[in-house]
Amino acid sequence: MTDDLSAQRIVSAISGGFGSPLQYFDELGSTNSLALEWADEGAPEGAVVVTDHQTAGRGRWGRSWSSAPGSLLQFSLVLRPPSAVDVGLLTTLAGVACAEAIESVAGLLTTIKWPNDVMLDDRKCAGILIESRVTDSRLTAAVVGIGVNVVWDEDELPPELRERATSLSSRLRAAGRDERVDRSELLAAILSRLEGHYRSLRDGVSSEILTLAKLRSTVLGKHVGIRYMSGETVAGRAVTLSSSGALVLDVDGEPTEIEVGEIEHVLDP
Ligand code: BTN
């Protein structure tokens, strides 16, 4: 049993405005679901829902997100972005904030697989799901849901994830470091970075977040295959990120912007 995550520990680790108000649960269906409901009831920007264990966690594209009690950091943050903020860039921002925080707390080198999977040694260690509320064509809330695999060992993962996923503790052990990452401290670090980068976006500065995302990208300069939600696929060389965080591919000499898709394969140039 780990005792690194509790409302009290989180409150004492947090230094900025994100993370207040806070709701903590030992077990919950999905933090994103509760945060969306809370947003509907008027939760302010910065409100956070955290749980030790999700019983109905959701991933991108309607997939389920598995977890084991005591093993992951799982939380959702409520944002109220003004209309000037490009929602596509929230996806980019969340990936960068999470990658930076893992790197600073665990001292492990992170990369980002577009759009925002956080990777350690080419395996996914954190996933991000952003869900929005739109009323009368206006975005009223965006919920940023983040799940970081902190201690769930590779050989205990569900079989379908074993080859592709990892945890911070597995990578620390592989590096010969017998250390444990404190989930409350990691949460505070992610929230602090989310808040800083979000403030820049609100102030109209988006170049910084795009530069940081490009520097960590696992795909730029490589030949990639992408699958759209429809099931169709496209392949080309990943050239850059657009001003809204879309992946720009060179497909037989034609620039093609992918706003929503998933990387199916990556080939080195
Ligand atoms: C993905 O990689 O498919 C995204 C996974 C997002 C998981 C997080 S865990 C906290 C939040 N609550 C959810 O139900 N999902 C997100």
Side-chain angles (χ1 to χ4, degrees):
M1 183 70 191
T2 52
D3 58 359
D4 61 328
L5 194 69
S6 67
Q8 203 184 359
R9 291 186 66 114
I10 295 166
V11 168
S12 47
I14 283 171
S15 54
F18 280 10
S20 174
L22 176 86
Q23 292 198 59
Y24 174 83
F25 300 86
D26 286 335
E27 188 173 275
L28 190 64
S30 155
T31 55
N32 263 35
S33 300
L34 191 73
L36 284 166
E37 281 170 29
W38 197 12
D40 293 341
E41 290 159 9
E45 181 153 90
V48 167
V49 178
V50 193
T51 190
D52 180 54
H53 181 226
Q54 292 188 124
T55 53
R58 297 204 299 272
R60 295 178 74 219
W61 295 21
R63 284 191 285 257
S64 63
W65 171 264
S66 314
S67 66
S71 300
L72 284 85
L73 169 63
Q74 301 178 106
F75 71 95
S76 301
L77 163 73
V78 176
L79 295 176
R80 304 278 186 187
S83 52
V85 168
D86 186 327
V87 182
L89 281 179
L90 291 180
T91 303
T92 314
L93 177 156
V96 169
C98 189
E100 288 179 339
I102 291 172
E103 206 158 282
S104 81
V105 171
L108 292 165
L109 279 183
T110 54
T111 51
I112 299 173
K113 182 170 167 189
W114 183 86
N116 61 10
D117 283 349
V118 181
M119 314 291 284
L120 288 171
D121 298 329
D122 241 17
R123 286 164 175 252
K124 178 166 168 172
C125 69
I128 299 169
L129 175 67
I130 300 189
E131 295 181 294
S132 308
R133 282 287 195 242
V134 177
T135 311
D136 298 332
S137 315
R138 205 173 57 83
L139 181 79
T140 52
V143 162
V144 181
I146 300 185
V148 184
N149 185 2
V150 178
V151 294
W152 207 4
D153 281 343
E154 284 157 24
D155 50 9
E156 287 168 8
L157 289 169
E160 69 279 10
L161 297 180
R162 225 163 270 167
E163 298 295 311
R164 297 181 282 119
T166 191
S167 66
L168 308 196
S169 65
S170 294
R171 293 297 104 193
L172 283 168
R173 247 195 332 275
R177 293 167 54 197
D178 185 20
E179 295 162 37
R180 222 185 152 81
V181 169
D182 182 290
R183 287 178 293 165
S184 299
E185 200 191 315
L186 179 61
L187 171 60
I190 298 175
L191 289 175
S192 155
R193 279 171 175 77
L194 281 168
E195 189 166 359
H197 291 310
Y198 180 67
R199 195 169 299 141
S200 301
L201 267 195
R202 285 187 59 136
D203 292 347
V205 182
S206 57
S207 54
E208 183 184 293
I209 201 69
L210 285 165
T211 302
L212 293 168
K214 287 177 197 170
L215 285 172
R216 282 184 199 270
S217 173
T218 58
V219 298
L220 292 185
K222 297 184 179 164
H223 191 276
V224 298
I226 305 268
R227 192 165 52 85
Y228 292 107
M229 260 179 139
S230 63
E232 282 175 71
T233 56
V234 60
R237 197 171 63 84
V239 182
T240 190
L241 299 179
S242 76
S243 58
S244 61
L247 184 64
V248 183
L249 290 192
D250 176 332
V251 181
D252 301 327
E254 281 295 313
T256 306
E257 282 197 19
I258 318 286
E259 276 173 12
V260 181
E262 273 202 339
I263 308 280
E264 278 213 312
H265 65 257
V266 181
L267 301 175
D268 282 321

